[in-house]
Amino acid sequence: MERRKRILTGDTPTGKLHLGHYVGTLENRVKLQSEYETYILLANTHAFAKDPGKPEDIFKNTLEDALDNLAVGLDPEKASLVLESQIPEIFELYTYFGMLASHNRILRNPTVKDEIKYKGLGEHVSFGFVGYPLLQAADILSIKADLVPVGDDQVPHLEQTREVARRFNELYGETFPVPEALVGRVARLAGTDGKAKMSKSLGNVIYLSDSHDEVKNKVMMMFTDPTRLRSTDPGHIEGNPVFIYHDAFNTNKEEVEDLKERYLNGKVGDIEVKEKLVKALNQFLDPIRERRAKYENDPDKVLEIIQSGTEKASLLAAETLSEVREKLKLRLL
Ligand code: TRP
């Protein structure tokens, strides 16, 4: 009998999730949870690659990550939340994958190179940091996932995952699916400052858990069209973050078209465009805030959800690793 297709994706818990995560991956997780057997990884061990010195923060952020995932509408009956550190099979698989991937290939991953640069890691970058895409491959393949909804920046990691799966299959016989990446409808959401990427380390972020006032303050401070000096000047839409967000989050398409039209012709000021964006964003965020509050008030329930999700994934990982050890002739008996 053909098994149900599986999704595994997840987040490195470095802080709260934001609008960029939503359009990049969260939306697809929610949309596909009924169709696929879905596993959402709280990748707490990954977080040590980025900053090993703060285990309390990583723990706290892991719970925030769980809350954010539940808040956007992942249903624990359909999607399992999985705590990475509780699945030792992942780390065993990571060891074998480390033997299959070439050293030069590891050093060529463009996302890792970018991160080393903008996080200023330089020569101090850890061995684990450079190798984290292989840990990610082990996450994904430990449960033999078929599909991985991710933001655009994760695509190189998926490429590495696919390579390692193929290599393993070639050497030891068909074992792993070669998983596909699924990138969201906005591959890379601009920051509130107009920079190409919304990112916590760039400080240009609107969080899913921001209050009405926080959203308002951030939007009112947003960059728009730097070439437009007066509201009677014709403005530019393309690359203008206020309109990028209207397109991504305002469900009133007529309003968006009207604003664009007037903006192009110098017939609307930034303030009106921004006030309408605040309203649209708050409308989008309200149900997310409501679900978040419900789970925040029941922390035991959240722990229970993570516990049972982790147990479910553990069973699959145990099965996979027993097959892997068999194929690698690691058993005495
Ligand atoms: N590297 C991903 C990020 O930083 C998080 C992650 C860890 C992940 N393991 C994964 C994503 C497995 C998809 C699949 O966002």
Side-chain angles (χ1 to χ4, degrees):
M1 206 178 73
E2 198 144 304
R3 72 166 168 87
R4 235 172 119 214
K5 295 271 186 206
R6 291 176 193 150
I7 279 179
L8 183 136
T9 185
D11 319 290
T12 304
T14 52
K16 296 179 174 185
L17 300 184
H18 53 65
L19 295 178
H21 293 113
Y22 188 85
V23 285
T25 168
L26 297 171
E27 185 175 48
N28 277 333
R29 298 178 190 181
V30 175
K31 214 187 286 173
L32 296 174
Q33 63 181 330
S34 305
E35 196 180 323
Y36 287 75
E37 204 177 297
T38 299
Y39 296 86
I40 306 297
L41 192 76
L42 313 170
N44 59 337
T45 10
H46 272 259
F48 284 83
K50 308 210 173 181
D51 191 354
K54 304 202 175 86
E56 292 83 8
D57 288 1
I58 293 174
F59 184 74
K60 202 178 97 234
N61 288 333
T62 303
L63 297 179
E64 292 289 348
D65 186 35
L67 281 174
D68 277 328
N69 273 285
L70 293 167
V72 294
L74 280 159
D75 172 355
E77 299 291 318
K78 296 178 180 157
S80 307
L81 296 190
V82 180
L83 188 63
E84 186 188 36
S85 56
Q86 298 274 82
I87 310 212
E89 286 86 352
I90 290 175
F91 309 107
E92 183 181 343
L93 196 54
Y94 170 59
T95 306
Y96 307 142
F97 286 171
M99 316 301 178
L100 298 184
S102 95
H103 183 228
N104 276 329
R105 172 66 181 94
I106 299 282
L107 298 177
R108 273 202 318 267
N109 182 306
T111 296
V112 173
K113 281 206 238 168
D114 273 3
E115 282 180 303
I116 293 174
K117 216 178 288 160
Y118 79 73
K119 287 178 202 294
L121 298 174
E123 284 191 21
H124 299 290
V125 64
S126 68
F127 179 67
F129 188 87
V130 181
Y132 89 74
L134 278 190
L135 181 56
Q136 185 157 342
D139 293 334
I140 296 166
L141 297 174
S142 69
I143 66 135
K144 298 192 176 182
D146 305 282
L147 188 70
V148 188
V150 280
D152 183 43
D153 60 322
Q154 300 291 305
V155 170
H157 304 343
L158 257 292
E159 209 34 64
Q160 253 178 282
T161 303
R162 293 161 60 80
E163 282 170 28
V164 92
R166 282 198 207 100
R167 181 89 183 116
F168 192 101
N169 291 346
E170 244 168 53
L171 285 176
Y172 312 114
E174 203 55 33
T175 309
F176 294 111
V178 178
E180 304 272 346
L182 177 69
V183 175
R185 76 186 147 100
V186 183
R188 199 173 283 229
L189 187 69
T192 52
D193 57 359
K195 292 220 176 84
K197 192 185 172 194
M198 183 175 275
S199 146
K200 181 181 159 223
S201 40
L202 299 173
N204 59 8
V205 163
I206 295 177
Y207 292 106
L208 297 173
S209 47
D210 276 348
S211 67
H212 280 229
D213 282 347
E214 282 166 325
V215 169
K216 184 166 175 206
N217 292 337
K218 288 179 181 179
V219 170
M220 292 327 254
M221 299 283 286
M222 266 176 86
F223 284 45
T224 54
D225 174 0
T227 66
R228 188 185 192 228
L229 302 177
R230 285 174 299 265
S231 56
T232 49
D233 292 343
H236 296 89
I237 306 270
E238 208 153 297
N240 184 335
V242 187
F243 283 102
I244 295 175
Y245 292 15
H246 265 298
D247 277 334
F249 298 103
N250 191 343
T251 51
N252 184 346
K253 296 300 165 209
E254 250 169 69
E255 175 175 280
V256 177
E257 285 320 304
D258 170 63
L259 287 173
K260 283 184 181 172
E261 171 79 27
R262 285 157 61 209
Y263 200 82
L264 286 169
N265 294 305
K267 294 209 160 63
V268 64
D270 279 1
I271 304 275
E272 184 183 339
V273 178
K274 286 181 171 181
E275 277 170 350
K276 292 203 158 119
L277 180 59
V278 171
K279 199 166 137 251
L281 283 178
N282 278 327
Q283 224 168 37
F284 164 74
L285 290 172
D286 273 339
I288 297 178
R289 293 180 178 120
E290 246 168 67
R291 273 190 298 261
R292 193 176 221 280
K294 202 183 79 193
Y295 282 109
E296 259 171 351
N297 288 330
D298 197 352
D300 286 346
K301 169 94 183 155
V302 175
L303 293 179
E304 221 177 274
I305 289 170
I306 301 174
Q307 180 68 26
S308 72
T310 305
E311 280 165 16
K312 202 170 157 205
S314 270
L315 293 176
L316 296 181
E319 221 174 89
T320 303
L321 263 290
S322 122
E323 184 185 347
V324 163
R325 290 181 208 118
E326 186 88 35
K327 289 189 163 147
L328 296 183
K329 306 270 178 266
L330 294 169
R331 286 199 171 121
L332 198 53
L333 298 173

Coordinates of all heavy atoms in Angstrom, one line a residue, residues 68-144:
D68 N 3.9 30.1 17.9 CA 3.7 30.8 16.6 C 3.1 29.8 15.6 O 2.2 30.2 14.8 CB 5.0 31.4 16.1 CG 5.3 32.7 16.6 OD1 4.4 33.5 17.0 OD2 6.5 33.0 16.8
N69 N 3.6 28.6 15.6 CA 3.1 27.6 14.6 C 1.6 27.2 14.9 O 0.8 27.1 14.0 CB 3.9 26.3 14.7 CG 5.1 26.4 13.7 OD1 4.9 26.3 12.5 ND2 6.3 26.7 14.2
L70 N 1.3 27.1 16.2 CA -0.1 26.8 16.6 C -1.0 28.0 16.3 O -2.1 27.9 15.8 CB -0.2 26.4 18.1 CG 0.5 25.1 18.4 CD1 0.6 25.0 19.9 CD2 -0.3 23.9 17.8
A71 N -0.4 29.2 16.5 CA -1.2 30.5 16.3 C -1.6 30.7 14.9 O -2.7 31.2 14.6 CB -0.4 31.7 16.8
V72 N -0.8 30.3 13.9 CA -1.2 30.5 12.5 C -2.2 29.5 12.0 O -2.7 29.6 10.9 CB 0.1 30.5 11.5 CG1 1.0 31.7 11.8 CG2 0.8 29.2 11.6
G73 N -2.5 28.5 12.8 CA -3.5 27.6 12.5 C -3.1 26.1 12.2 O -3.8 25.4 11.6
L74 N -1.9 25.8 12.6 CA -1.5 24.4 12.5 C -2.3 23.6 13.6 O -2.4 24.1 14.8 CB 0.0 24.2 12.7 CG 0.7 24.5 11.4 CD1 2.1 24.8 11.6 CD2 0.5 23.3 10.4
D75 N -3.0 22.6 13.2 CA -3.9 21.9 14.0 C -3.1 20.6 14.6 O -2.8 19.8 13.8 CB -5.1 21.4 13.2 CG -6.0 20.5 13.9 OD1 -5.7 20.1 15.0 OD2 -7.1 20.2 13.3
P76 N -3.0 20.6 15.9 CA -2.2 19.4 16.4 C -2.7 18.1 16.1 O -2.0 17.1 16.2 CB -2.1 19.7 17.9 CG -3.1 20.8 18.2 CD -3.4 21.5 16.9
E77 N -4.0 18.0 15.7 CA -4.6 16.7 15.3 C -4.0 16.3 13.9 O -4.0 15.1 13.6 CB -6.1 16.8 15.1 CG -6.8 17.2 16.4 CD -6.8 16.0 17.4 OE1 -6.9 14.9 17.0 OE2 -6.6 16.3 18.6
K78 N -3.6 17.3 13.1 CA -3.1 17.0 11.8 C -1.6 17.1 11.7 O -0.9 16.4 10.9 CB -3.7 18.0 10.8 CG -5.2 17.8 10.7 CD -5.8 18.8 9.7 CE -7.3 18.7 9.6 NZ -7.9 20.0 9.1
A79 N -1.0 18.1 12.4 CA 0.4 18.4 12.2 C 1.1 18.1 13.6 O 0.6 18.5 14.6 CB 0.6 19.8 11.9
S80 N 2.2 17.3 13.5 CA 2.9 17.0 14.8 C 4.0 18.1 15.0 O 4.8 18.3 14.1 CB 3.6 15.6 14.7 OG 2.6 14.7 14.3
L81 N 4.1 18.6 16.2 CA 5.2 19.5 16.6 C 6.3 18.6 17.2 O 6.0 17.8 18.1 CB 4.8 20.5 17.6 CG 3.7 21.6 17.1 CD1 3.6 22.7 18.2 CD2 4.1 22.2 15.8
V82 N 7.5 18.7 16.7 CA 8.5 17.7 17.0 C 9.8 18.5 17.6 O 10.3 19.4 17.0 CB 9.0 17.0 15.8 CG1 10.1 16.0 16.1 CG2 7.8 16.3 15.1
L83 N 10.2 18.1 18.8 CA 11.4 18.7 19.4 C 12.6 17.9 18.9 O 12.9 16.8 19.3 CB 11.3 18.6 20.9 CG 12.4 19.4 21.6 CD1 12.3 20.9 21.3 CD2 12.2 19.2 23.1
E84 N 13.4 18.6 18.1 CA 14.6 18.0 17.4 C 15.5 17.2 18.4 O 15.9 16.1 18.2 CB 15.4 19.0 16.7 CG 16.5 18.5 15.8 CD 17.3 19.6 15.2 OE1 17.5 20.6 15.9 OE2 17.8 19.5 14.1
S85 N 15.8 17.9 19.5 CA 16.8 17.4 20.4 C 16.4 16.0 21.1 O 17.2 15.3 21.6 CB 17.1 18.4 21.6 OG 15.9 18.7 22.2
Q86 N 15.1 15.7 21.0 CA 14.6 14.5 21.6 C 14.6 13.3 20.6 O 14.1 12.2 21.0 CB 13.2 14.7 22.1 CG 13.0 15.7 23.1 CD 13.2 15.2 24.5 OE1 14.3 15.1 25.0 NE2 12.1 14.9 25.2
I87 N 15.2 13.5 19.4 CA 15.3 12.4 18.5 C 16.7 12.1 18.2 O 17.3 12.6 17.2 CB 14.5 12.8 17.2 CG1 13.1 13.3 17.6 CG2 14.4 11.6 16.2 CD1 12.0 13.0 16.7
P88 N 17.4 11.3 19.0 CA 18.8 11.0 18.8 C 19.1 10.4 17.4 O 20.2 10.6 16.9 CB 19.2 10.0 19.9 CG 17.9 9.6 20.5 CD 16.8 10.6 20.1
E89 N 18.2 9.8 16.8 CA 18.4 9.2 15.4 C 18.9 10.2 14.4 O 19.6 10.0 13.5 CB 17.2 8.5 14.9 CG 16.8 7.2 15.5 CD 16.0 7.3 16.8 OE1 15.8 8.5 17.3 OE2 15.6 6.3 17.4
I90 N 18.4 11.5 14.6 CA 18.7 12.6 13.7 C 20.2 12.8 13.8 O 20.9 13.0 12.7 CB 18.0 13.9 14.1 CG1 16.5 13.7 13.7 CG2 18.6 15.1 13.3 CD1 15.6 14.9 14.2
F91 N 20.8 12.7 15.0 CA 22.2 13.0 15.1 C 23.1 11.9 14.6 O 24.2 12.1 14.1 CB 22.5 13.4 16.6 CG 21.6 14.5 17.0 CD1 20.5 14.2 17.9 CD2 21.6 15.7 16.5 CE1 19.6 15.1 18.2 CE2 20.7 16.7 16.8 CZ 19.7 16.4 17.7
E92 N 22.6 10.7 14.7 CA 23.3 9.6 14.2 C 23.3 9.7 12.6 O 24.4 9.5 12.0 CB 22.6 8.3 14.6 CG 23.4 7.0 14.1 CD 22.7 5.7 14.6 OE1 21.8 5.7 15.5 OE2 23.1 4.7 13.9
L93 N 22.2 10.0 12.1 CA 22.1 10.1 10.6 C 23.0 11.2 10.1 O 23.7 11.1 9.1 CB 20.6 10.3 10.2 CG 20.2 10.1 8.8 CD1 20.6 8.7 8.3 CD2 18.7 10.4 8.6
Y94 N 23.0 12.3 10.8 CA 23.9 13.4 10.5 C 25.4 13.0 10.4 O 26.1 13.4 9.5 CB 23.7 14.5 11.6 CG 24.6 15.6 11.6 CD1 24.8 16.5 10.6 CD2 25.4 15.9 12.8 CE1 25.6 17.6 10.6 CE2 26.2 17.0 12.9 CZ 26.3 17.9 11.8 OH 27.1 18.9 11.9
T95 N 25.8 12.1 11.3 CA 27.2 11.6 11.3 C 27.4 10.8 10.0 O 28.5 11.1 9.3 CB 27.4 10.6 12.5 OG1 27.0 11.3 13.7 CG2 28.8 10.2 12.6
Y96 N 26.5 10.0 9.6 CA 26.7 9.2 8.3 C 26.7 10.1 7.2 O 27.6 10.0 6.2 CB 25.7 8.1 8.2 CG 25.5 7.2 9.3 CD1 24.3 6.7 9.7 CD2 26.7 6.8 10.1 CE1 24.2 5.8 10.8 CE2 26.5 5.9 11.2 CZ 25.3 5.5 11.5 OH 25.1 4.6 12.6
F97 N 25.8 11.1 7.2 CA 25.8 12.1 6.0 C 27.1 12.9 5.9 O 27.5 13.2 4.8 CB 24.6 13.0 6.2 CG 23.2 12.4 5.9 CD1 22.1 13.1 6.2 CD2 23.1 11.1 5.4 CE1 20.8 12.5 5.9 CE2 21.9 10.5 5.1 CZ 20.7 11.2 5.4
G98 N 27.7 13.2 7.1 CA 28.9 13.9 7.1 C 30.0 13.2 6.3 O 31.0 13.8 5.8
M99 N 29.9 11.8 6.2 CA 30.9 11.1 5.5 C 30.6 11.0 4.0 O 31.5 10.7 3.2 CB 30.9 9.6 6.0 CG 30.8 9.4 7.5 SD 32.2 10.2 8.3 CE 31.8 9.9 10.0
L100 N 29.4 11.4 3.6 CA 29.0 11.3 2.2 C 29.1 12.6 1.5 O 29.3 12.6 0.2 CB 27.5 10.9 2.1 CG 27.2 9.5 2.7 CD1 25.7 9.2 2.4 CD2 28.1 8.4 2.1
A101 N 29.0 13.7 2.2 CA 29.1 15.0 1.5 C 30.5 15.5 1.4 O 31.3 15.4 2.4 CB 28.2 16.0 2.3
S102 N 30.9 16.1 0.3 CA 32.3 16.5 0.2 C 32.5 17.8 0.9 O 31.6 18.7 1.1 CB 32.6 16.7 -1.3 OG 32.5 18.0 -1.7
H103 N 33.7 18.0 1.5 CA 34.0 19.1 2.3 C 33.9 20.4 1.4 O 33.3 21.4 1.9 CB 35.5 18.9 2.7 CG 36.0 20.0 3.6 ND1 37.2 20.6 3.4 CD2 35.5 20.5 4.7 CE1 37.4 21.5 4.3 NE2 36.4 21.5 5.1
N104 N 34.3 20.4 0.2 CA 34.2 21.6 -0.6 C 32.7 21.9 -0.9 O 32.4 23.1 -1.0 CB 34.9 21.3 -2.0 CG 36.4 21.6 -1.9 OD1 36.8 22.5 -1.1 ND2 37.2 20.9 -2.6
R105 N 31.9 20.9 -1.1 CA 30.5 21.2 -1.3 C 29.9 21.9 -0.1 O 29.1 22.8 -0.3 CB 29.8 19.8 -1.6 CG 28.3 19.9 -1.7 CD 27.9 20.7 -2.9 NE 26.5 20.8 -3.0 CZ 25.8 21.9 -2.6 NH1 26.4 22.8 -1.9 NH2 24.5 21.9 -2.8
I106 N 30.2 21.4 1.1 CA 29.7 22.0 2.3 C 30.1 23.5 2.4 O 29.3 24.4 2.7 CB 30.3 21.3 3.5 CG1 30.0 19.9 3.6 CG2 30.0 22.0 4.8 CD1 28.6 19.6 4.0
L107 N 31.3 23.8 1.9 CA 31.8 25.2 2.0 C 31.2 26.1 1.0 O 31.3 27.3 1.1 CB 33.3 25.3 1.9 CG 34.1 24.5 3.0 CD1 35.6 24.6 2.7 CD2 33.8 25.1 4.4
R108 N 30.5 25.5 0.0 CA 30.0 26.3 -1.1 C 28.5 26.8 -0.9 O 28.0 27.5 -1.8 CB 30.0 25.5 -2.4 CG 31.4 25.7 -3.1 CD 31.2 25.4 -4.6 NE 30.4 24.2 -4.9 CZ 30.9 23.0 -5.0 NH1 32.2 22.7 -4.9 NH2 30.1 22.0 -5.3
N109 N 27.9 26.4 0.1 CA 26.4 26.7 0.3 C 26.2 28.2 0.4 O 26.7 28.8 1.4 CB 25.9 26.0 1.6 CG 24.4 26.2 1.8 OD1 24.0 27.3 1.9 ND2 23.7 25.1 1.9
P110 N 25.5 28.8 -0.5 CA 25.4 30.3 -0.6 C 24.7 30.9 0.6 O 25.1 32.0 1.1 CB 24.6 30.6 -1.9 CG 24.0 29.3 -2.3 CD 24.8 28.2 -1.7
T111 N 23.7 30.2 1.2 CA 23.0 30.8 2.3 C 23.9 30.8 3.5 O 24.0 31.8 4.3 CB 21.7 30.0 2.6 OG1 20.8 30.1 1.5 CG2 21.0 30.4 3.9
V112 N 24.7 29.7 3.7 CA 25.6 29.7 4.9 C 26.7 30.8 4.7 O 27.0 31.5 5.7 CB 26.3 28.3 4.9 CG1 27.4 28.3 6.0 CG2 25.2 27.2 5.3
K113 N 27.2 30.9 3.5 CA 28.2 32.0 3.3 C 27.6 33.4 3.6 O 28.3 34.2 4.2 CB 28.6 32.0 1.8 CG 29.6 30.9 1.5 CD 30.4 31.3 0.3 CE 30.3 30.3 -0.8 NZ 30.8 30.6 -2.1
D114 N 26.4 33.6 3.1 CA 25.7 34.9 3.4 C 25.6 35.1 4.9 O 25.9 36.2 5.4 CB 24.3 34.9 2.9 CG 24.2 35.4 1.5 OD1 25.3 35.6 0.9 OD2 23.1 35.5 0.9
E115 N 25.1 34.1 5.6 CA 24.9 34.2 7.0 C 26.2 34.5 7.8 O 26.2 35.3 8.7 CB 24.3 32.9 7.6 CG 22.8 32.8 7.3 CD 22.2 31.6 7.9 OE1 22.7 30.4 7.5 OE2 21.2 31.6 8.6
I116 N 27.3 33.8 7.4 CA 28.6 34.1 8.0 C 28.9 35.5 7.9 O 29.4 36.2 8.8 CB 29.7 33.1 7.4 CG1 29.4 31.7 7.7 CG2 31.1 33.5 7.9 CD1 30.3 30.7 7.1
K117 N 28.6 36.1 6.7 CA 29.0 37.5 6.4 C 28.1 38.4 7.3 O 28.6 39.2 8.1 CB 28.8 37.8 4.9 CG 29.8 38.7 4.4 CD 29.7 39.0 2.9 CE 30.1 37.8 2.0 NZ 29.5 38.0 0.7
Y118 N 26.8 38.3 7.2 CA 26.0 39.3 7.8 C 25.8 39.1 9.3 O 25.5 40.1 10.0 CB 24.7 39.6 7.1 CG 23.5 38.7 7.3 CD1 22.8 38.6 8.5 CD2 23.1 37.8 6.2 CE1 21.7 37.8 8.6 CE2 22.0 37.0 6.4 CZ 21.3 37.0 7.6 OH 20.3 36.1 7.7
K119 N 26.1 37.9 9.8 CA 26.2 37.8 11.3 C 27.5 38.1 11.8 O 27.8 38.0 13.0 CB 25.8 36.3 11.7 CG 24.4 36.0 11.5 CD 24.1 34.5 11.8 CE 22.8 34.0 11.2 NZ 21.6 34.6 11.7
G120 N 28.5 38.4 10.9 CA 29.8 38.8 11.3 C 30.6 37.7 12.0 O 31.4 37.9 12.9
L121 N 30.3 36.4 11.6 CA 31.0 35.3 12.3 C 32.5 35.1 11.9 O 33.3 34.7 12.7 CB 30.2 34.0 12.0 CG 28.8 33.9 12.4 CD1 28.1 32.7 11.9 CD2 28.7 34.0 13.9
G122 N 32.8 35.5 10.7 CA 34.2 35.5 10.3 C 34.9 34.2 10.6 O 34.4 33.1 10.4
E123 N 36.1 34.4 11.1 CA 37.0 33.2 11.4 C 36.5 32.4 12.6 O 36.9 31.3 12.8 CB 38.4 33.7 11.7 CG 39.1 34.1 10.5 CD 40.6 34.4 10.8 OE1 41.1 33.8 11.8 OE2 41.2 35.1 10.0
H124 N 35.5 33.0 13.3 CA 35.1 32.3 14.5 C 33.9 31.3 14.2 O 33.4 30.7 15.1 CB 34.7 33.3 15.6 CG 35.8 34.2 16.0 ND1 36.8 33.7 16.7 CD2 36.0 35.5 15.8 CE1 37.7 34.7 16.9 NE2 37.2 35.8 16.3
V125 N 33.5 31.3 13.0 CA 32.4 30.4 12.6 C 32.7 29.0 13.0 O 33.8 28.5 12.8 CB 32.0 30.5 11.1 CG1 33.2 30.0 10.2 CG2 30.8 29.8 10.8
S126 N 31.7 28.4 13.7 CA 31.9 27.0 14.2 C 31.8 26.0 13.1 O 31.2 26.2 12.1 CB 30.9 26.7 15.3 OG 29.6 26.6 14.8
F127 N 32.4 24.8 13.4 CA 32.3 23.7 12.5 C 30.8 23.3 12.3 O 30.4 23.0 11.2 CB 33.1 22.5 13.2 CG 33.1 21.2 12.5 CD1 33.8 21.1 11.3 CD2 32.5 20.1 13.1 CE1 33.8 19.9 10.7 CE2 32.5 18.9 12.5 CZ 33.2 18.8 11.3
G128 N 30.1 23.3 13.4 CA 28.7 23.0 13.4 C 27.9 23.9 12.5 O 26.9 23.5 11.9
F129 N 28.2 25.2 12.5 CA 27.5 26.1 11.7 C 27.6 25.8 10.2 O 26.7 25.8 9.5 CB 28.0 27.6 12.0 CG 27.1 28.6 11.3 CD1 26.0 29.1 12.0 CD2 27.4 29.1 10.1 CE1 25.2 30.0 11.4 CE2 26.5 30.0 9.4 CZ 25.4 30.4 10.1
V130 N 28.9 25.6 9.8 CA 29.1 25.3 8.4 C 28.4 24.0 8.0 O 27.9 23.9 6.8 CB 30.6 25.2 8.1 CG1 30.9 25.0 6.7 CG2 31.3 26.5 8.5
G131 N 28.3 23.1 8.9 CA 27.7 21.8 8.6 C 26.2 21.7 8.8 O 25.6 20.7 8.5
Y132 N 25.5 22.8 9.3 CA 24.1 22.7 9.7 C 23.2 22.3 8.5 O 22.2 21.6 8.8 CB 23.6 23.9 10.5 CG 23.0 25.1 9.7 CD1 21.8 25.0 9.1 CD2 23.7 26.3 9.5 CE1 21.2 26.0 8.4 CE2 23.2 27.3 8.8 CZ 21.9 27.2 8.2 OH 21.4 28.2 7.5
P133 N 23.5 22.6 7.2 CA 22.6 22.0 6.2 C 22.5 20.5 6.2 O 21.5 19.9 5.8 CB 23.2 22.6 4.9 CG 23.8 23.9 5.3 CD 24.5 23.5 6.7
L134 N 23.6 19.9 6.7 CA 23.6 18.4 6.7 C 22.7 17.9 7.9 O 22.1 16.9 7.8 CB 25.0 17.8 6.9 CG 25.8 17.7 5.6 CD1 27.1 16.9 6.0 CD2 25.1 17.0 4.5
L135 N 22.7 18.7 9.0 CA 21.9 18.4 10.1 C 20.4 18.5 9.6 O 19.5 17.7 10.0 CB 22.2 19.3 11.3 CG 21.4 19.1 12.6 CD1 21.5 17.7 13.1 CD2 21.8 20.1 13.6
Q136 N 20.2 19.5 8.8 CA 18.8 19.7 8.3 C 18.4 18.6 7.3 O 17.3 18.1 7.4 CB 18.8 21.1 7.5 CG 17.5 21.4 7.0 CD 17.4 23.0 6.7 OE1 18.2 23.7 7.2 NE2 16.4 23.4 6.0
A137 N 19.4 18.1 6.6 CA 19.2 16.9 5.7 C 18.8 15.7 6.6 O 17.8 15.0 6.3 CB 20.4 16.6 4.9
A138 N 19.4 15.6 7.7 CA 19.1 14.5 8.6 C 17.7 14.6 9.2 O 17.0 13.7 9.4 CB 20.2 14.3 9.7
D139 N 17.4 15.9 9.6 CA 16.0 16.1 10.1 C 15.0 15.6 9.1 O 14.1 14.9 9.4 CB 15.8 17.7 10.2 CG 16.6 18.4 11.2 OD1 17.0 17.7 12.2 OD2 16.8 19.6 11.1
I140 N 15.2 16.1 7.8 CA 14.2 15.8 6.8 C 14.1 14.3 6.5 O 13.1 13.7 6.4 CB 14.5 16.6 5.5 CG1 14.4 18.1 5.8 CG2 13.7 16.2 4.3 CD1 15.1 19.0 4.7
L141 N 15.3 13.7 6.3 CA 15.3 12.3 5.9 C 15.1 11.3 7.0 O 14.8 10.1 6.7 CB 16.6 12.0 5.1 CG 16.8 12.9 3.8 CD1 18.2 12.7 3.2 CD2 15.7 12.6 2.8
S142 N 15.3 11.7 8.2 CA 15.0 10.8 9.3 C 13.6 10.3 9.3 O 13.3 9.1 9.7 CB 15.3 11.5 10.7 OG 14.3 12.4 11.0
I143 N 12.7 11.1 8.8 CA 11.3 10.6 8.7 C 10.9 10.4 7.2 O 9.7 10.2 6.9 CB 10.3 11.5 9.4 CG1 10.2 12.9 8.7 CG2 10.6 11.7 10.9 CD1 8.8 13.3 8.5
K144 N 11.9 10.4 6.4 CA 11.6 10.2 4.9 C 10.6 11.2 4.4 O 9.6 10.7 3.7 CB 11.2 8.8 4.6 CG 12.3 7.7 5.0 CD 12.0 6.4 4.5 CE 13.1 5.4 4.8 NZ 12.8 4.1 4.2

